[in-house]
Amino acid sequence: MPERAIGVFDSGVGGLTVLRALRQHVPDESLVYLGDTARVPYGTKSSPTVMRYAHEAARFLLAQRVKLMVVACNTASAVAVDELIERYQVPVIGVILPGAKRALEMTRNGRIGVVGTEGTIRSGAYDRALQEFRPDIVVHTAACPLFVPIAEEGWSCHEVARLAAHEYLAPLLDKGIDTLVLGCTHYPLLKNTLQEVVGPDVQLVDSAQETAKAVKLRLEQDQLLQSPSATQPPCYFVTDIPDRFIRVGGAFLGEQLKDVKTVVLD
Ligand code: DGL
């Protein structure tokens, strides 16, 4: 089992921010990544549809004989992670719980903001995760649908990003939040702009980093850490032709993507 890869899936390129964090925190692990690029975005789809996509992605990764699955998409985590944990026999880690836990450690005034896709915000998954541990926590949320195309366009530090961030975040800042969870795998690219807009008194939680730490902990607990000599280069699969994934994904991963294969999910 330890010599098997970790499977990671997202709707497209966003989960590469999680893959990048995994490479920092568990550098000896082999990684298999699936981007469901034929059906991206998940953030605007209904919960039953995202649930179906998540099962198809999970079954694909299990067929690659992975030892652990990471749902590297906030929208899919919000809708499907509990069911995936119940249904499949390998450990499944989503991005919501690790980010929520870190926000609870960071907040001083108990007012936490969460930004994400329409689907993630509508699901109420962050509100539930935060209030389960601390019912007194006040959660203020905002769907920020423009952040995904802005990040993919390479405009994370552009004036367009700044204007959109002001518009989306002003209501949360008015409520006095001191912590902001980046509840979408695209948003770490916008971190500098978002920090500039919220100011130094609001701390940002990068759920990609927190998820990678949670994966490391789980591998240690389950004695599933791979020995360095067995590490394989990452494998990338997408469900549409790979051109756009390769072009846009490099900025998310921090390096050029190579050897991306197209697959059909069923
Ligand atoms: N990766 C998705 C998420 O974290 C954002 C992109 C999409 O809507 O599919 O929610």
Side-chain angles (χ1 to χ4, degrees):
M1 255 315 232
E3 308 314 326
R4 294 187 183 179
I6 295 174
V8 181
F9 79 85
D10 176 44
S11 54
V13 290
L16 292 170
T17 58
V18 180
L19 193 100
R20 184 177 186 170
L22 284 167
R23 292 175 79 183
Q24 286 163 14
H25 291 274
V26 284
D28 296 334
E29 296 300 320
S30 306
L31 300 163
V32 174
Y33 185 91
L34 171 67
D36 190 7
T37 48
R39 304 190 289 198
V40 69
Y42 284 6
T44 52
K45 308 272 183 336
S46 69
S47 300
T49 298
V50 174
M51 179 73 90
R52 179 161 53 84
Y53 293 171
H55 276 293
E56 290 175 12
R59 285 198 294 268
F60 172 81
L61 289 176
L62 287 172
Q64 311 305 306
R65 299 173 58 76
V66 299
K67 63 181 173 187
L68 179 146
M69 272 192 282
V70 181
V71 185
C73 171
N74 281 263
T75 312
S77 294
V79 168
V81 85
D82 292 340
E83 204 175 295
L84 298 183
I85 290 170
E86 254 176 53
R87 177 79 64 91
Y88 301 111
Q89 274 167 10
V90 300
V92 178
I93 295 185
V95 284
I96 290 186
L97 205 53
K101 284 187 176 163
R102 182 69 186 131
L104 292 172
E105 285 166 7
M106 286 165 90
T107 184
R108 298 169 305 273
N109 71 7
R111 275 174 258 165
I112 297 176
V114 179
V115 284
T117 63
E118 288 170 60
T120 299
I121 298 306
R122 191 181 54 229
S123 75
Y126 272 104
D127 311 56
R128 283 195 297 282
L130 290 163
Q131 287 167 340
E132 188 184 325
F133 294 103
R134 290 253 322 257
D136 61 310
I137 288 288
V138 181
V139 187
H140 297 287
T141 60
C144 306
L146 287 180
F147 284 169
V148 167
I150 286 172
E152 292 198 4
E153 196 61 30
W155 285 357
S156 299
C157 300
H158 193 280
E159 194 51 26
V160 170
R162 219 162 282 123
L163 286 172
H166 272 291
E167 199 65 31
Y168 287 136
L169 300 177
L172 303 189
L173 296 173
D174 285 349
K175 303 282 187 202
I177 59 159
D178 71 353
T179 305
L180 180 68
V181 181
L182 307 184
C184 172
T185 49
H186 280 65
Y187 298 179
L189 269 84
L190 292 150
K191 224 186 219 169
N192 291 342
T193 301
L194 297 180
Q195 189 69 70
E196 203 185 293
V197 170
V198 296
D201 296 336
V202 177
Q203 307 184 80
L204 302 185
V205 177
D206 177 342
S207 49
Q209 285 292 328
E210 300 310 318
T211 302
K213 291 182 204 163
V215 168
K216 182 171 186 202
L217 194 66
R218 183 66 188 261
L219 291 174
E220 285 166 354
Q221 280 168 352
D222 293 1
Q223 299 186 332
L224 285 175
L225 281 166
Q226 177 164 282
S227 63
S229 58
T231 312
Q232 299 290 326
C235 295
Y236 300 101
F237 297 97
V238 289
T239 53
D240 196 1
I241 55 165
D243 306 36
R244 186 167 202 279
F245 180 82
I246 292 171
R247 181 165 46 82
V248 175
F252 286 69
L253 184 63
E255 66 181 54
Q256 181 67 33
L257 281 150
K258 287 188 276 263
D259 299 328
V260 183
K261 296 185 189 67
T262 300
V263 291
V264 176
L265 301 184
D266 54 24

